[in-house]
């Protein structure tokens, strides 16, 4: 094909793809425009997860009728005049491409009226071609309706996630703007159901309650830290409130929601040693910094920024968090609760934890190499044949060390078994084998009610059938509250509220939890919570039954998450280590 200039229509669709990836991007751009227009009231209406309708109305400045057709053109903006302005941007928009982009991939109608005008004006853009501006009756402000998003780019439509995921994205987005602009009343309704409704009274905790539920919102710790012209303020969770993922951490730079892993890392640093491995805080962090110290023109979606002095910003965030925590609760001594991390092994004096690869062992040395994260199916071939075939020899319990590991003897050497990982494996295999038929459920004597954060509650609601399949009987009970009537019998020991929270966290993390695969991941997760913890003394009776349960497993050597359940020290290796046989 010879080189040719793309037709304007295709070029604009390509450009639009950078800005408008999904319905939430439309919401973002329209809300930003409303905020830039000084609105004090913004109403967002969503139908079919934004695929059939995204509508945003505001009571802001409005657009003069004669500028309406310009507003929907590419690179048309009222927020930027010269290149130098790019380095002192005070508005959320500046690229002048949002409306044009949206108009090129949907049917867009924009109606606007300035306070000084006797009537409003309306323009329609369909798949990139704009109609004439018409005069119409309209209230002050602007109304933008975006219908049939991606009707002319079917490939995009196919890439959209499950409706519930798209809806969650929109919820999350609207909530973030509501947090950043508590003095603006923002309401969001999805499928005719009100999801968010802030009063605009400037109270951020009110908005937090929508995000986290009233209970956690109340417990969030306020932080405020000033370093010359840099201010870091906001809210962090007390150490008792954690999540399983990083999504509870949100950041704003000069009122703009931004994503930056380095900022999350700074918050985590502030929490260092106070949280268990794998747990994350909730944090809503506002960074205010002079506009010329930050470049917002990094990405078309404007959700990344570059700081002139990143180190200073990250340090301040870390300090703000640390000081906030110290001010609110003196650091408790949690003790060294050791958890597995790739590449980290506990230091017990006298033990050599190196794997066979590190020691340079040959297959003959009989030391199986446990590589972290590997699942039993992909275990290296260095395993001794009989070890692989019998899966696990019969073990004789010798004792427990550090209240965490069982020491066991086998004819061919010594085994150290991680009691938590081993129990996880046992529970997991039982659960999975029961799941083939019906998982026996155990009715609770006293139904337990659990209040969840509103977004989590919505997720849970959609997943009730899956839960039922797993042996939970859960029913809605009030707006964000659920009643747990039964739990899988295997998990009787687990607090039902705790179990439910773990499940929702998993759904949050894995956006399409309905898939088969996800089901087993959920099971793995619940088993992790239900399994006996490190630090718990086990009687010899308990130790022995755990070992024999583990022997009965199909893949006894790893936990469901792929960590080793046991470390093996062969007699051969011991002999070498003691210098009885050749040099190591
Ligand atoms: P940008 O926001 O980057 O300037 P947009 O394409 O989003 O680009 O909007 C183009 C222009 O249309 C804006 O600069 C602004 O002047 C006007 N505009 C868009 N939405 C609104 C609104 N809700 N109220 C007032 N003016 C608006
Ligand atoms: Mg804009």
């Amino acid at each position: 094909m010879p080189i040719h200039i793309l037709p304007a229509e295709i070029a604009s669709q390509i450009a639009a793809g950078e800005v408008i990836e999904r319905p939430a991007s439309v919401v973002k751009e329209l809300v930003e425009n409303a905020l830039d227009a000084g609105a004090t009231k913004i109403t967002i209406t969503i139908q079919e997860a934004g695929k059939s309708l995204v509508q945003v109305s505001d009571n802001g400045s409005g657009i003069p009728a004669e500028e309406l057709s310009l507003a929907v053109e590419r690179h048309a903006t009222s927020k930027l005049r010269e290149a130098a302005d790019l380095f002192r941007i005070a508005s959320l928009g500046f690229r002048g491409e949002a409306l044009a982009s949206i108009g090129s991939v949907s049917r867009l109608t924009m109606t606007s009226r300035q306070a000084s005008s006797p009537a409003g004006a309306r323009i329609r853009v369909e798949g990139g071609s704009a109609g004439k501006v018409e005069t119409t009756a309209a209230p002050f402000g602007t109304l933008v309706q975006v219908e049939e998003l991606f009707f002319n780019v079917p490939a995009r439509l196919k890439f959209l996630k499950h409706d519930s995921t798209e809806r969650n994205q929109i919820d999350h987005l609207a909530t973030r703007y509501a947090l950043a602009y508590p003095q603006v009343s923002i309401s969001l309704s999805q499928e005719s159901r009100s999801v968010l409704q802030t009063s605009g009274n400037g109270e951020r905790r009110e908005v937090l309650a929508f995000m986290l539920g009233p209970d956690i919102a109340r417990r969030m710790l306020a932080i405020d830290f000033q370093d010359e012209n840099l201010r870091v303020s906001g809210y962090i969770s007390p150490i008792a409130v954690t999540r399983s993922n990083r999504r509870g951490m949100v950041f704003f730079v000069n009122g703009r929601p931004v994503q930056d892993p380095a900022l999350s890392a700074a918050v985590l640093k502030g929490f260092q040693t106070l949280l268990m491995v794998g747990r994350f805080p909730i944090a809503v962090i506002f960074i205010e910094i002079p506009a010329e110290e930050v470049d917002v023109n990094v990405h078309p979606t404007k959700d990344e920024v570059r700081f002139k002095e990143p180190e200073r910003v990250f340090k301040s965030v870390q300090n703000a968090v640390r000081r906030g925590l110290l001010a609110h609760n003196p650091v408790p001594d949690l003790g060294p609760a050791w958890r597995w991390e790739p590449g980290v092994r506990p230091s017990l004096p006298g033990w050599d934890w190196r794997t066979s690869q590190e020691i340079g062992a040959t297959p003959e040395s009989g030391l199986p190499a446990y590589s972290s994260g590997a699942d039993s199916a992909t275990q290296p071939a260095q395993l001794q044949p009989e070890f692989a075939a019998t899966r696990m020899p019969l073990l004789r319990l010798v004792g427990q060390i550090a209240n965490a590991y069982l020491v066991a003897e086998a004819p061919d050497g010594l085994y150290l078994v991680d009691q938590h990982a081993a129990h996880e494996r046992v529970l997991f295999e039982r659960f999975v084998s029961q799941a083939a038929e019906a998982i026996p459920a155990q009715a609770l004597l006293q139904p337990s009610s659990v209040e969840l954060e509103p977004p989590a509650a919505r997720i849970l609601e959609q997943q009730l059938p899956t839960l039922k399949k797993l042996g939970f009987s859960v029913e809605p009970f009030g707006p964000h509250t659920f009643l747990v009537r039964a739990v899988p019998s295997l998990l009787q020991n687990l607090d039902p509220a705790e179990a439910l929270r773990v499940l929702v966290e998993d759904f949050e993390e894995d956006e399409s939890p309905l898939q088969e695969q996800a089901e087993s991941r959920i099971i793995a997760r619940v088993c992790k919570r239900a399994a006996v913890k490190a630090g718990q003394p086990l009687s010899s009776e308990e130790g022995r039954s755990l070992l024999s349960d583990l022997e009965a497993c199909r893949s006894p050597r790893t936990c469901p998450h792929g960590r080793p359940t046991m470390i093996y020290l062969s007699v051969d290796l011991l002999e070498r280590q003691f210098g009885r046989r050749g040099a190591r």
Side-chain angles (χ1 to χ4, degrees):
M1 209 192 290
I3 299 178
H4 62 287
I5 303 270
L6 289 174
E9 206 184 295
I10 299 180
S12 83
Q13 271 188 18
I14 292 175
E18 293 190 328
V19 191
I20 305 300
E21 289 172 321
R22 56 198 327 166
S25 337
V26 176
V27 178
K28 172 186 162 80
E29 295 297 337
L30 298 182
V31 168
E32 287 195 349
N33 281 347
L35 291 167
D36 280 346
T40 56
K41 190 168 164 34
I42 300 176
T43 308
I44 312 162
T45 310
I46 306 294
Q47 291 297 346
E48 276 184 65
K51 287 184 285 194
S52 68
L53 177 73
V54 172
Q55 174 179 305
V56 175
S57 72
D58 68 60
N59 64 351
S61 63
I63 306 170
E66 61 279 12
E67 287 180 18
L68 211 50
S69 53
L70 207 52
V72 297
E73 293 247 353
R74 194 165 295 281
H75 310 306
T77 180
S78 58
K79 302 169 192 176
L80 196 69
R81 195 161 290 279
E82 51 187 49
D85 292 345
L86 263 180
F87 300 96
R88 45 171 183 253
I89 285 169
S91 53
L92 291 165
F94 55 88
R95 298 174 60 101
E97 56 183 357
L99 290 176
S101 295
I102 297 168
S104 73
V105 293
S106 70
R107 304 184 206 280
L108 173 142
T109 312
M110 182 152 81
T111 312
S112 195
R113 178 177 166 200
Q114 289 198 298
S116 54
S117 309
R122 169 179 299 162
I123 189 165
R124 230 175 127 71
V125 186
E126 299 215 2
S129 64
K132 284 214 167 52
V133 175
E134 296 160 13
T135 306
T136 173
F140 299 140
T142 303
L143 167 71
V144 182
Q145 290 155 300
V146 177
E147 290 161 294
E148 291 178 69
L149 182 63
F150 300 136
F151 78 94
N152 55 347
V153 234
R156 270 280 145 153
L157 265 185
K158 279 206 205 98
F159 275 101
L160 292 185
K161 299 248 172 77
H162 196 269
D163 276 5
S164 62
T165 305
E166 297 296 339
R167 275 198 289 268
N168 285 339
Q169 297 264 353
I170 295 172
D171 287 1
H172 186 56
L173 188 112
T175 311
R176 273 181 298 166
Y177 282 95
L179 279 170
Y181 295 85
Q183 71 285 7
V184 178
S185 162
I186 297 183
S187 71
L188 166 66
S189 82
Q190 298 229 39
E191 327 299 348
S192 311
R193 187 168 153 188
S194 166
V195 179
L196 175 77
Q197 168 75 69
T198 67
S199 65
N201 65 0
E203 244 315 312
R204 282 209 166 109
R205 267 192 214 267
E206 177 196 291
V207 189
L208 281 179
F210 276 101
M211 182 178 156
L212 305 169
D215 176 44
I216 293 181
R218 222 174 297 120
R219 293 166 68 190
M220 294 289 282
L221 315 174
I223 59 169
D224 203 340
F225 176 85
Q226 181 99 33
D227 173 32
E228 290 169 45
N229 56 9
L230 171 64
R231 183 175 172 210
V232 178
S233 60
Y235 299 88
I236 53 177
S237 50
I239 51 174
V241 177
T242 61
R243 294 199 146 183
S244 66
N245 58 50
R246 289 163 204 267
R247 282 201 225 154
M249 292 187 269
V250 293
F251 301 91
F252 303 83
V253 174
N254 294 342
R256 179 191 305 281
V258 297
Q259 286 177 348
D260 184 347
L263 288 172
S264 309
V267 169
L268 292 179
K269 266 212 158 126
F271 270 93
Q272 209 158 44
T273 72
L274 297 179
L275 299 180
M276 275 203 285
V277 173
R279 303 301 298 174
F280 301 94
I282 304 171
V284 175
I285 309 277
F286 301 92
I287 298 166
E288 283 152 80
I289 185 169
E292 45 312 337
E293 302 254 324
V294 51
D295 182 2
V296 292
N297 190 22
V298 179
H299 192 269
T301 54
K302 300 168 288 180
D303 57 10
E304 280 171 44
V305 295
R306 219 173 272 142
F307 298 107
K308 215 185 221 173
E309 297 177 87
E311 283 310 318
R312 179 173 165 234
V313 176
F314 302 147
K315 259 266 114 34
S316 299
V317 169
Q318 183 187 336
N319 280 336
V321 169
R322 195 73 188 175
R323 285 182 193 203
L325 283 170
L326 291 176
H328 290 281
N329 33 259
V331 181
D333 184 9
L334 290 181
W338 184 80
R339 290 289 204 94
W340 180 86
E341 277 181 273
V344 177
R345 272 162 272 175
S347 57
L348 284 183
W351 287 102
D352 186 347
W353 298 97
R354 289 177 296 172
T355 63
S356 58
Q357 283 144 336
E358 290 167 296
I359 296 173
T362 54
E364 294 78 49
S365 78
L367 184 72
Y370 286 115
S371 53
S372 55
D375 124 82
S376 55
T378 61
Q379 278 295 315
Q382 292 110 300
L383 297 183
Q384 278 190 332
E386 64 272 39
F387 184 88
T390 57
R391 300 196 297 230
M392 182 177 151
L394 289 180
L395 299 181
R396 187 180 70 81
L397 181 72
V398 176
Q400 188 193 28
I401 46 176
N403 284 341
Y405 307 100
L406 301 179
V407 183
E409 185 201 3
D412 52 351
L414 175 70
Y415 284 78
L416 293 170
V417 176
D418 177 326
Q419 65 188 41
H420 172 68
H423 195 207
E424 248 184 287
R425 164 54 68 186
V426 168
L427 286 175
F428 179 78
E429 292 208 359
R430 287 200 185 148
F431 216 122
V432 169
S433 72
Q434 290 181 352
E437 306 184 354
I439 296 179
Q442 170 79 47
L444 301 175
L445 290 176
Q446 188 87 50
S448 167
S449 87
V450 186
E451 189 182 346
L452 293 175
E453 300 162 16
R458 282 193 293 281
I459 292 166
L460 186 68
E461 210 167 295
Q462 292 155 10
Q463 305 306 341
L464 292 179
T466 317
L467 291 187
K468 190 154 181 228
K469 215 170 137 199
L470 297 180
F472 287 89
S473 157
V474 180
E475 56 195 55
F477 183 72
H480 309 125
T481 308
F482 295 85
L483 214 52
V484 186
R485 292 196 177 280
V487 296
S489 329
L490 264 179
L491 304 178
Q492 274 176 67
N493 295 335
L494 193 62
D495 169 27
E498 166 92 4
L500 217 55
R501 290 223 164 80
V502 174
L503 288 167
V504 179
E505 280 178 348
D506 197 65
F507 287 135
E508 275 180 316
E509 223 163 25
D510 175 50
E511 309 249 70
S512 40
L514 287 175
Q515 289 146 22
E516 298 279 314
Q517 201 194 15
E519 215 167 89
S520 76
R521 223 180 307 163
I522 294 168
I523 296 175
R525 189 127 188 184
V526 193
C527 291
K528 184 180 173 66
R529 283 306 170 93
V532 51
K533 301 284 179 300
Q536 187 171 322
L538 296 186
S539 68
S540 356
E541 194 41 56
E542 290 168 322
R544 267 195 295 273
S545 76
L546 178 54
L547 288 181
S548 68
D549 287 346
L550 189 63
E551 279 158 13
C553 286
R554 279 165 179 270
S555 317
R557 290 179 296 104
T558 53
C559 82
H561 299 93
R563 300 200 271 122
T565 53
M566 60 183 87
I567 290 176
Y568 168 53
L569 303 170
S570 66
V571 172
D572 184 69
L573 177 90
L574 293 175
E575 287 186 341
R576 282 163 198 253
Q577 297 249 342
F578 284 113
R580 285 173 170 268
R581 201 159 17 114
R584 183 159 57 81

